Amino acid sequence: MKLIKLFCLLAMPLVIAQQSTRFIYQVTQTPDSTNTEKKTELAYLDTDGKRSLFYAENSLKRDSLMDRMRATRNFDREQMQNLRSNLQFTIEKDLTNQSLTYRSRIGRDNYSYPETPVFEWKILPETVKIGDYQTQKAETKFGGRTWYAWFTQEIPFQDGPYKFSGLPGLIVKIQDAKGDYSFDLMQTKKIAEIYQPLNRGQFITLSKSKYIEMEKKIQKDPVSFVNALRNSGRGGGNRPPIDPKEMQERQKRMEAEIKSRNNPIELK
């Protein structure tokens, strides 16, 4: 019995070490520059200290719902629509070399690009307590915006929401100078492992410049762009032709969605 207790005590640090941490951020954004209404949702940053994954809370909920629908064979489009997100991407970071992989969809296909962002952080003398953490202010320029971050050395992860990383501690809060985007840490909890999104097909890997070029093309003419992908075989293979009425409805939805995303987090 004493040996069993001793083994359990020795094993406990290993179990704790294998745990991951989930940092829950409130994301506030103004994706439409013609509409000052703020969009707010939650996003998760899962990390084990070596790698991390940033993604929308609704992505996890949609995956869980999809699993249930597959099990019951009962697909409810309205429920899926209610879990739409303005954060239609995932960002996986390799924290050992501060590189990342950005994954998203354009049209009906999955794309990804690798990136090693260069953040020239300027650490400022200003300090403030945010929630339970003592934080210090820092400044950087990224994606055509000036960003102000508040980080804490009480959490020794050189990481943060979205693509941000490289400060000597976790980023508790970060916002751009215009106030269009902000990320605020709301909660922290232990999890068994980093979330693995459902695999909905293979990803086409591009350079970041090629990805941005494709985004611009679909913004100009979404339907023609999707049709070009279908015809080239990159739109999912030999899919059946879409009904003209359905195509018109899809075009209207895509155009409205694209118009509402005219103020991206990265302006360049």
Side-chain angles (χ1 to χ4, degrees):
M1 183 63 71
K2 289 183 178 180
L3 287 174
I4 294 174
K5 287 181 179 179
L6 178 61
F7 176 78
C8 290
L9 288 171
L10 291 173
M12 280 179 64
L14 179 61
V15 172
I16 293 171
Q18 290 176 339
Q19 282 186 323
S20 297
T21 306
R22 174 167 294 163
F23 298 102
I24 302 174
Y25 288 86
Q26 178 176 281
V27 184
T28 304
Q29 53 186 316
T30 310
D32 186 351
S33 62
T34 66
N35 185 350
T36 57
E37 180 184 358
K38 300 284 188 181
K39 305 289 185 181
T40 302
E41 62 181 290
L42 295 180
Y44 295 163
L45 177 68
D46 293 356
T47 183
D48 60 8
K50 295 181 180 179
R51 73 181 184 96
S52 67
L53 185 72
F54 182 75
Y55 59 97
E57 179 188 59
N58 278 350
S59 294
L60 187 150
K61 289 183 176 180
R62 282 170 67 92
D63 282 356
S64 298
L65 180 60
M66 184 66 74
D67 280 340
R68 290 198 300 271
M69 288 179 175
R70 285 174 177 170
T72 60
R73 297 183 179 180
N74 180 24
F75 185 79
D76 189 332
R77 183 177 294 275
E78 184 176 350
Q79 281 186 286
M80 294 295 288
Q81 290 291 335
N82 291 337
L83 292 175
R84 288 178 65 85
S85 169
N86 285 301
L87 305 172
Q88 299 179 17
F89 56 81
T90 64
I91 296 172
E92 184 175 2
K93 298 190 189 104
D94 181 341
L95 299 177
T96 59
N97 58 21
Q98 299 298 314
S99 65
L100 62 85
T101 301
Y102 180 99
R103 297 184 177 93
S104 186
R105 290 175 68 86
I106 295 181
R108 301 171 70 182
D109 297 296
N110 300 313
Y111 292 89
S112 70
Y113 64 78
E115 184 180 9
T116 304
V118 177
F119 295 107
E120 296 181 354
W121 291 106
K122 179 182 178 182
I123 297 180
L124 305 173
E126 181 181 338
T127 61
V128 64
K129 191 168 185 179
I130 299 178
D132 295 330
Y133 304 109
Q134 190 66 36
T135 70
Q136 187 167 358
K137 191 175 182 180
E139 178 184 342
T140 192
K141 294 184 184 298
F142 179 72
R145 296 179 184 271
T146 298
W147 292 90
Y148 298 105
W150 288 261
F151 66 95
T152 180
Q153 297 188 51
E154 296 172 21
I155 303 177
F157 292 128
Q158 294 186 19
D159 202 0
Y162 191 58
K163 297 180 179 180
F164 300 106
S165 64
L167 283 166
L170 183 78
I171 295 173
V172 173
K173 177 182 177 65
I174 186 166
Q175 66 181 36
D176 72 296
K178 294 182 178 180
D180 289 338
Y181 288 86
S182 68
F183 302 81
D184 297 85
L185 182 64
M186 306 298 289
Q187 186 181 351
T188 302
K189 64 180 181 180
K190 292 294 182 181
I191 55 175
E193 59 184 357
I194 294 174
Y195 165 64
Q196 294 293 330
L198 282 179
N199 185 8
R200 298 188 179 93
Q202 294 184 341
F203 280 83
I204 301 167
T205 302
L206 306 170
S207 65
K208 183 179 181 180
S209 60
K210 286 290 185 183
Y211 179 87
I212 293 172
E213 183 181 326
M214 292 182 69
E215 276 195 325
K216 289 180 179 178
K217 285 182 179 178
I218 197 172
Q219 286 172 350
K220 290 181 179 178
D221 191 351
V223 176
S224 296
F225 181 81
V226 172
N227 285 339
L229 288 182
R230 287 169 58 86
N231 294 336
S232 69
R234 289 168 60 186
N238 298 320
R239 287 174 174 162
I242 300 174
D243 178 77
K245 185 177 179 181
E246 182 184 347
M247 176 59 79
Q248 288 180 355
E249 292 176 353
R250 183 180 296 176
Q251 181 176 3
K252 288 179 181 178
R253 290 197 303 268
M254 291 178 70
E255 289 177 345
E257 188 172 334
I258 287 168
K259 286 180 180 178
S260 68
R261 296 203 309 263
N262 56 67
N263 187 32
I265 188 170
E266 293 185 47
L267 297 173
K268 62 179 182 179

